[in-house]
């Protein structure tokens, strides 16, 4: 049985209030939402996604004032960032208050919070008036969904409703930033995403970037979304820097920012932006991978993006999706 899909915000709100799961559109990717103050409702998310309990969830709220009761203090950097970028694709990690159930944070002392920008998400959050816990609405480790159909293709009857807000405008998950309370310690970038490092540093100055090699074990990851293998399509994905000289020896799909010479070498091709625009490319990124993984090909070859702006987040996802 397929999951009902529609535009009924009041229905979605009523389901969330009765502790059911609802997939919600955001500007980054679709989220799998539940009442973030109910441990029982949140537990359903982990079950539906097959997600390990050590991977904490983001709480979504409609306005900045709602953050105050979920955290112990609001450092001035959080206020600056919120003024500049919220609502938007930025998640702030702050010391949690007692209101936040431990299952949301996987027992960590910090909670991740974001104010999404998508109009339907905001309308829904205002209607429910509770923080909504929502990871990306995909099975654990797989490609993030950027359309309602992507959600319906992956998740099953545990989900009561998909609120359809059309294709996600940004297309890559939010940037996750952990703020220190003492203000002298630089914020820690836990995940590259839709808000670029350049944009963040312009507002609050230098941000620390953890060295992934310093956290080899799963449990010691500063953010479990930084697991080396994540966001992966169901076909092997290989990163190739020298695409000009690459000759495939089996049916191969190509994922590339712009077109490359002799493109007929490839069985399937996804050019993300003819003009090389990283914003446009990001918006098409996951949908292109969803299409490629369904094609009659044996592997996906991806060309790295320029390492700047949103290109950093896309390279991060490619690195985690590759073998
Ligand atoms: O754009 C997004 O962030 C989407 C939409 C639905 O909002 N959500 C999303 O959630 O991508 P998820 O669960 O797929 O990724 C959340 C990331 C993970 O890397 C998780 O480990 C990290 O945020 N995270 C959540 N809570 C945390 C915490 N308390 N401390 C550190 N990292 C945390
Ligand atoms: Mg995810």
């Amino acid at each position: 049985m397929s999951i009902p899909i529609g535009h009924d915000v009041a229905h979605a709100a009523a389901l969330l209030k009765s502790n059911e799961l609802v997939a919600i559109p955001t500007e980054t990717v679709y989220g799998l939402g539940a009442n973030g103050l109910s441990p029982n409702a949140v537990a359903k998310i982990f079950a539906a996604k097959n997600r390990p309990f050590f991977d904490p969830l983001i709480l979504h709220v409609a306005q900045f004032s709602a953050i105050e009761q979920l955290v112990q203090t609001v450092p001035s950097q959080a206020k600056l960032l919120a003024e500049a970028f919220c609502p938007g694709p930025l998640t702030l990690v702050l010391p949690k208050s007692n209101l936040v159930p431990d299952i949301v944070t996987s027992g960590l002392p910090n909670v991740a919070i974001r104010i999404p920008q998508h109009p339907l998400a905001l309308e829904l959050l205002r209607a429910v008036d509770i923080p909504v816990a929502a990871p990306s609405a995909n099975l654990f480790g797989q490609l993030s969904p950027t359309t309602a159909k992507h959600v319906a293709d992956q998740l099953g009857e545990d989900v009561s409703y998909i609120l359809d807000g059309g294709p996600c405008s940004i297309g890559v998950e939010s940037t996750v930033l952990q703020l220190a309370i003492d203000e002298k310690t630089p914020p820690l970038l836990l995940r590259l995403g839709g808000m670029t490092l350049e944009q963040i540093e312009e507002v609050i100055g230098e941000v620390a970037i953890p060295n992934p090699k310093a956290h080899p074990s799963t449990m010691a990851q500063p953010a479990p979304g930084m697991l080396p293998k994540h966001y992966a399509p169901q076909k092997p994905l290989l990163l190739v820097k020298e695409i000009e000289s690459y000759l495939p020896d089996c049916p191969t799909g190509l994922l590339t920012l712009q077109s490359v010479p002799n493109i007929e070498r490839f069985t399937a091709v996804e050019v993300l932006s003819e003009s090389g625009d990283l914003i446009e490319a990001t918006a098409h990124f996951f949908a292109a991978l969803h299409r490629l993984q369904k094609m009659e090909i044996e592997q996906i070859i991806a060309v790295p993006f320029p390492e700047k702006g949103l290109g950093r987040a896309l390279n991060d996802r490619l690195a985690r999706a590759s073998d």
Side-chain angles (χ1 to χ4, degrees):
M1 206 188 68
S2 56
I3 314 169
I5 303 182
H7 302 94
D8 190 342
V9 173
H11 179 55
L15 288 167
L16 285 174
K17 280 189 184 162
S18 45
N19 292 344
E20 299 295 326
L21 297 185
V22 175
I24 57 176
T26 84
E27 71 282 15
T28 57
V29 300
Y30 274 72
L32 182 59
N35 175 356
L37 299 182
S38 158
N40 283 345
V42 172
K44 291 183 185 173
I45 295 180
F46 287 93
K49 276 189 60 115
N50 215 351
R51 178 173 174 123
F53 282 100
F54 64 72
D55 196 356
L57 304 177
I58 298 173
L59 289 182
H60 297 69
V61 294
Q63 69 257 325
F64 193 70
S65 59
I67 295 181
E68 273 156 20
Q69 54 175 341
L70 303 173
V71 302
Q72 284 170 27
T73 54
V74 181
S76 59
Q77 284 179 329
K79 291 183 190 138
L80 283 174
L81 288 167
E83 252 167 52
F85 302 130
C86 297
L90 178 65
T91 296
L92 299 177
V93 175
L94 291 162
K96 81 176 197 73
S97 74
N98 288 335
L99 198 61
V100 179
D102 285 327
I103 187 172
V104 169
T105 65
S106 304
L108 293 172
N110 295 324
V111 61
I113 308 175
R114 124 172 161 85
I115 307 174
Q117 203 171 32
H118 193 295
L120 271 194
L122 283 173
E123 203 182 318
L124 177 66
L125 291 170
R126 284 194 200 103
V128 285
D129 203 25
I130 36 175
V132 171
S136 49
N138 50 276
L139 292 172
F140 181 71
Q142 295 192 18
L143 293 177
S144 295
T146 54
T147 64
K149 183 161 188 309
H150 292 160
V151 180
D153 286 349
Q154 272 196 54
L155 296 179
E157 57 197 26
D158 301 337
V159 184
S160 298
Y161 189 62
I162 302 176
L163 185 62
D164 188 352
C168 301
S169 60
I170 292 180
V172 72
E173 297 83 354
S174 63
T175 301
V176 181
L177 189 71
Q178 182 171 320
L179 295 175
I181 350 177
D182 64 31
E183 315 260 326
K184 282 188 204 106
T185 316
L188 192 62
L189 184 72
L190 297 182
R191 179 175 70 181
L192 287 157
M195 185 64 60
T196 66
L197 188 59
E198 291 89 336
Q199 286 172 299
I200 294 170
E201 290 193 329
E202 208 167 286
V203 174
I204 53 162
E206 200 183 335
V207 166
I209 303 171
N211 174 2
K213 295 201 182 85
H215 301 278
S217 87
T218 307
M219 299 304 288
Q221 298 282 323
M226 297 180 74
L227 286 175
K229 183 86 183 171
H230 212 83
Y231 310 104
Q234 282 153 332
K235 298 260 157 70
L237 186 141
L238 255 77
L239 273 168
V240 172
K241 286 195 186 121
E242 303 293 330
I243 196 70
E244 277 76 10
S245 55
Y246 178 82
L247 264 188
D249 57 7
C250 62
T252 295
L254 175 71
L255 180 79
T256 177
L257 177 60
Q258 288 177 285
S259 195
V260 301
N262 305 326
I263 211 151
E264 332 66 65
R265 287 173 283 171
F266 301 98
T267 312
V269 171
E270 291 285 348
V271 174
L272 295 180
S273 166
E274 286 293 353
S275 65
D277 177 34
L278 286 171
I279 295 175
E280 186 188 11
T282 305
H284 297 144
F285 178 76
F286 277 121
L289 280 171
H290 278 282
R291 281 192 295 272
L292 283 173
Q293 75 176 2
K294 285 192 185 155
M295 302 286 298
E296 302 266 321
I297 52 174
E298 283 175 33
Q299 58 175 9
I300 301 168
I301 294 294
V303 187
F305 296 88
E307 186 64 17
K308 61 171 187 197
L310 287 171
R312 282 187 225 271
L314 297 182
N315 284 335
D316 170 82
R317 301 302 184 273
L318 282 184
R320 290 175 209 287
S322 63
D323 294 284

